[in-house]
């Protein structure tokens, strides 16, 4: 479904992503794990069209997307839930969700809103509340709901658990699993390797811009090196 081939991404002279190749098949949950600064967000931002690779290619459902602007990537069915949620703080919950649906035909927005509210009753209760006054967990739900408004086939989530209490982290991961069961393919970036590997089918481990390990998530969860380096053992 998504094929990333040999991408190299720079910030000026900083070489942040080095010869990265990986893929996500339809129906999978794939996770990219690694420490701060390993290049995870840079990879997602390159796929979504916010950054450009100097080499290689990014292909989504057979179409090259490496030179498309972000709104065109989104319109093809690939949505990103950015690091730090990035909800529109001064807009209401409902206005944020409507912004997420801007690529959709006007006549379909109301149905999609109802879908999101069914999935996130918390957001339904707060539909007139200004997003800046939501809790961190609620803002994460709103960022996910906003992405869902585009009806994506593939959803990329950048550190959805960041800054959340353990109980909320569990809730967010339950929602990710539900979205997956409902047919959305997931590419998940996480520093919380334990949660990410528990939820995912396959994983790639990144270190300073390179993939250093890859495989079935379950196998990596039991790997001694991964346990010492990323699971705090
Ligand atoms: P984190 O979990 O902290 O977001 P990450 O794995 O997502 O980490 P990136 O944010 O992709 O890592 O950063 C990869 C490298 O690129 C880091 O060395 C970082 O300092 C650098 N970098 C990221 N954004 C910029 C920028 N706008 N300008 C310069 N360097 C940057």
């Amino acid at each position: 479904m998504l094929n990333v081939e040999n991408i190299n991404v720079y910030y000026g002279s900083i070489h942040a992503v080095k010869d990265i190749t990986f893929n996500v098949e339809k129906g999978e949950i794939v996770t990219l794990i690694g420490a701060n600064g390993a290049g995870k967000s840079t990879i997602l931002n390159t796929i979504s069209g916010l950054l450009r690779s100097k080499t290689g290619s990014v292909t989504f459902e057979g179409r090259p997307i490496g030179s498309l602007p972000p709104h065109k990537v989104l319109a093809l069915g690939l949505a990103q839930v950015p690091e730090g949620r990035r909800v529109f703080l001064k807009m209401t919950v409902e206005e944020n969700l409507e912004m997420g649906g801007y690529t959709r035909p006007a006549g379909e927005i109301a149905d999609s809103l109802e879908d999101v509210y069914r999935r996130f009753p918390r957001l339904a209760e707060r539909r007139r509340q200004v997003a800046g006054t939501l809790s961190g967990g609620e803002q994460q739900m709103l960022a996910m709901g906003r992405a869902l408004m585009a009806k994506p086939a593939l959803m990329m989530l950048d550190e959805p658990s960041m800054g959340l209490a353990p109980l909320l982290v569990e809730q967010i991961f339950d929602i990710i699993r539900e979205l997956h069961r409902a047919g959305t393919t997931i590419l998940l970036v996480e520093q919380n390797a334990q949660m990410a590997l528990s939820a995912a089918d396959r994983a790639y481990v990144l270190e300073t811009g390179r993939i250093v390990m890859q495989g079935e998530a379950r196998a990596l969860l039991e790997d001694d090196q991964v346990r010492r380096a990323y699971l705090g053992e």
Side-chain angles (χ1 to χ4, degrees):
M1 183 178 215
L2 176 72
N3 281 292
V4 175
E5 284 253 355
N6 191 38
I7 60 168
N8 281 277
V9 188
Y10 297 79
Y11 297 101
S13 60
I14 297 169
H15 191 180
V17 163
K18 300 165 185 159
D19 300 323
I20 294 285
T21 295
F22 72 96
N23 69 303
V24 180
E25 297 304 325
K26 192 171 167 54
E28 281 191 309
I29 301 183
V30 171
T31 185
L32 310 178
I33 60 170
N36 262 322
K40 306 179 298 295
S41 300
T42 304
I43 293 171
L44 292 198
N45 290 337
T46 305
I47 296 168
S48 62
L50 292 164
L51 295 170
R52 295 277 176 244
S53 172
K54 285 228 158 126
T55 60
S57 63
V58 182
T59 315
F60 179 60
E61 292 187 320
R63 295 181 58 157
I65 59 167
S67 52
L68 293 183
H71 68 280
K72 295 223 163 122
V73 174
L74 175 66
L76 290 175
L78 207 170
Q80 183 175 14
V81 182
E83 183 170 9
R85 349 285 190 213
R86 303 282 196 103
V87 297
F88 302 107
L89 296 171
K90 294 189 174 163
M91 296 168 85
T92 65
V93 165
E94 188 143 309
E95 286 164 349
N96 268 271
L97 293 175
E98 284 166 357
M99 293 297 279
Y102 85 102
T103 56
R104 306 276 312 289
E108 296 178 10
I109 298 291
D111 274 356
S112 292
L113 267 178
E114 286 319 306
D115 274 354
V116 170
Y117 287 143
R118 212 170 302 126
R119 198 174 289 284
F120 299 99
R122 274 285 190 108
L123 297 182
E125 288 163 16
R126 289 166 170 72
R127 61 174 83 193
R128 309 266 167 252
Q129 190 172 326
V130 168
T133 62
L134 297 174
S135 72
E138 289 162 357
Q139 286 192 10
Q140 182 61 43
M141 290 176 199
L142 180 55
M144 292 166 76
R146 182 181 56 186
L148 277 179
M149 289 293 294
K151 289 234 170 183
L154 172 59
M155 189 185 276
M156 302 196 290
L157 296 130
D158 196 344
E159 307 235 6
S161 77
M162 191 168 57
L164 302 183
L167 201 61
L168 272 167
V169 173
E170 297 277 353
Q171 267 185 34
I172 294 295
F173 271 85
D174 284 346
I175 293 167
I176 294 170
R177 287 192 186 89
E178 272 171 39
L179 291 177
H180 175 247
R181 269 198 297 274
T184 311
T185 303
I186 308 272
L187 175 57
L188 171 68
V189 155
E190 262 297 343
Q191 278 191 49
N192 187 333
Q194 175 76 46
M195 288 301 289
L197 290 174
S198 304
D201 300 301
R202 288 189 303 118
Y204 296 86
V205 182
L206 283 136
E207 256 173 47
T208 56
R210 287 189 197 282
I211 292 174
V212 293
M213 284 178 94
Q214 57 185 299
E216 300 281 323
R218 203 173 306 164
L220 289 176
L221 205 48
E222 283 163 13
D223 183 273
D224 281 345
Q225 205 182 325
V226 171
R227 296 182 77 86
R228 274 195 301 273
Y230 299 101
L231 304 174
E233 291 185 8

